[in-house]
């Protein structure tokens, strides 16, 4: 049955009871709201800029703005040692020993920064920084010492009988009054073990000799990763060394590594925008508890405890922070980890020609067949010819000089290395070579190689050579 029709009066009554839908009117933003939006975006841009500056300073291992981890005792020891030189005019010598990336340079930079901020030290310490990689002999080292002490005009065209005379003249030129009023000099020898190989160790002998005599206050600090460094010193040099050694080791576990991760990314309490800093720090806390982030850090930790590697990872991740992406995410750290662990040699393979790829695959098979024994170009060429004959491909049928040119290009890229320096008489085809790529690197590179022919991929994947 149909429901009874409503009368017009009933319909009118119902319409009065039901609320009418008003059309939605869009309000145009006022000039004031636009100004507020602009101001807030400017503030956020300023915050992001400050964050990037703070993090860059922390992650630069030569900058003393970051924090020191696990070396408080060594810091106090070195600071006290240098204070005795700068304040009381005592001469001394010490070695900072530790593996690469353990924080030797960072420790020294922190101590020097704190020393320079002391009133009694400010502008009262002369520093000479030498590096064994740059100052390859005593003559070059002496020239660099003269330049850093700004004594070129004093030396002029004077001729000295020996290295010791020249160095003594430089120090005499800096002396004023008695020992306590003379300006102390700090010699920092980076890559200290390389100075050991200088002729007769003359530089080291004279620096250690001066640090023991009652002349100008001089302290010599050496930085090295050689644990056996004292055994490399001559007796006369060793006898003049104070035998002070400061050891640095990355001895922290993964829990401490996570704490370092949090501290290095957290913003300080004095950050200009307190609400943004709190939001940022809360996000970092959540990231440190995230399983994905912990896996990324665990992989890096097992590979190396070197904090420079961690800083590089965090630098890559923090570079993704922008006004539109103000907080770090787990995806940022994963992407940074992927970039960090990218194989540089595999990247070179991506830019090779198909012929060069074929030669690398031929070498790969030769390595498998002959169990890593060295090979020569002729063997590689023969292997390549077998592939062409088997596949009956005219497109890969290059003349031998062309193949030789491609092989030489691989040599220039250092993907292949000769076992000995080639002589003028030796035939290029028969020089013994070694491939500097392993099988997994080649296969990984081929997976992303653009437009790689299918039969070339199949040849690479085959476990046996085309013998």
């Amino acid at each position: 049955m149909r429901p009874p029709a409503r009368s017009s009066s009933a319909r009118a009554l119902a319409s009065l009871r039901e609320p009418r839908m008003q059309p939605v009117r869009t309000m145009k933003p006022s000039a004031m709201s636009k100004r507020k939006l602009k101001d807030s975006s400017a503030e956020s841009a300023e915050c992001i800029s400050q964050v990037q500056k703070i993090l860059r300073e922390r992650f630069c291992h030569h900058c003393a703005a970051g924090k020191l981890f696990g070396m408080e005792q060594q810091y106090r020891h070195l600071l006290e040692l240098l204070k005795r030189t700068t304040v009381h005019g005592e001469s001394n010598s010490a070695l900072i020993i530790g593996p690469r990336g353990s924080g030797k340079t960072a420790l020294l930079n922190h101590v020097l920064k704190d020393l320079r901020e002391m009133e009694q030290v400010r502008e009262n310490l002369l520093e000479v920084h030498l590096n064994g990689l740059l100052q390859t002999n005593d003559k070059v080292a002496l020239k660099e010492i003269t330049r850093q002490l700004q004594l070129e005009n004093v030396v002029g065209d004077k001729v000295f009988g020996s290295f010791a005379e020249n160095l003594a003249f430089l120090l005499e030129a800096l002396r004023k009054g008695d020992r306590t009023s003379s300006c102390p000099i700090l010699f920092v020898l980076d890559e200290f073990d390389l100075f050991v190989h200088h002729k007769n160790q003359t530089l080291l002998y004279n620096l250690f000799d001066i640090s023991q005599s009652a002349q100008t206050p001089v302290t010599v600090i050496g930085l090295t990763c050689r644990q056996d460094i004292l055994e490399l010193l001559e007796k006369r040099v060793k006898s003049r060394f104070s035998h002070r050694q400061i050891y640095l080791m990355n001895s922290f576990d993964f829990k401490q590594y996570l704490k370092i991760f949090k501290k290095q990314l957290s913003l300080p309490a004095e950050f200009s925008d307190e609400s943004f800093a709190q939001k940022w720090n809360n996000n970092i806390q959540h990231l440190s508890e995230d399983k994905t982030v912990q896996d990324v850090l665990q992989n890096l930790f097992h590979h190396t405890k070197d904090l420079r590697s961690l800083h590089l990872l965090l630098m890559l991740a923090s570079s993704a922070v922008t006004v539109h992406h103000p907080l770090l995410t787990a995806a940022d750290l994963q992407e940074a980890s992927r970039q960090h662990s990218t194989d540089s040699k595999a990247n070179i393979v991506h830019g090779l020609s198909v012929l060069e790829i074929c030669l690398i695959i031929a070498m790969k098979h030769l390595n498998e067949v002959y169990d890593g024994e060295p090979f020569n170009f002729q063997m590689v060429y023969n292997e390549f010819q077998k592939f062409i004959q088997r596949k009956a491909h005219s497109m890969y049928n290059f003349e031998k000089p062309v193949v030789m040119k491609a092989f030489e290009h691989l040599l220039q890229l250092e993907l292949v290395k000769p076992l000995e320096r080639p002589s003028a008489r030796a035939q290029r085809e028969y020089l013994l070579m070694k491939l500097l790529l392993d099988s997994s690197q080649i296969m990984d590179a081929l997976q992303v190689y653009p437009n790689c022919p299918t039969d070339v991929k199949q040849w690479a994947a085959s476990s046996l050579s085309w013998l």
Side-chain angles (χ1 to χ4, degrees), residues 116-184:
R116 293 181 196 120
E117 290 172 356
M118 296 178 185
E119 283 187 23
Q120 64 267 45
V121 176
R122 194 176 299 156
E123 297 179 2
N124 189 37
L125 176 66
L126 293 174
E127 297 175 28
V128 177
H129 294 262
L130 303 177
N131 191 305
L133 294 168
L134 301 175
Q135 283 75 51
T136 52
N137 59 52
D138 288 348
K139 187 179 178 182
V140 176
L142 194 60
K143 193 173 180 182
E144 182 62 17
I145 292 169
T146 309
R147 187 190 69 79
Q148 291 191 32
L149 293 177
Q150 299 178 358
L151 294 174
E152 295 98 330
N153 295 335
V154 178
V155 173
D157 297 325
K158 287 184 174 63
V159 178
F160 299 96
S162 66
F163 179 92
E165 280 181 30
N166 198 336
L167 188 60
F169 176 81
L170 292 177
L171 298 178
E172 187 67 34
L174 293 168
R175 189 182 301 174
K176 55 176 183 180
D178 60 2
R179 180 182 175 80
T180 54
S181 63
S182 288
C183 202

Side-chain angles (χ1 to χ4, degrees), residues 34 36-37 57 63 89-90 134 176 184 190 256 288 291 305 312 319 363 372 420 443:
K34 279 184 179 178
K36 281 183 180 177
L37 191 66
E57 286 179 349
C63 182
E90 291 182 16
L134 301 175
K176 55 176 183 180
D190 210 348
Q256 291 168 309
S288 67
K291 181 70 170 64
K305 290 184 182 180
L312 179 56
S319 63
M363 295 179 225
E420 55 188 30
M443 296 310 297

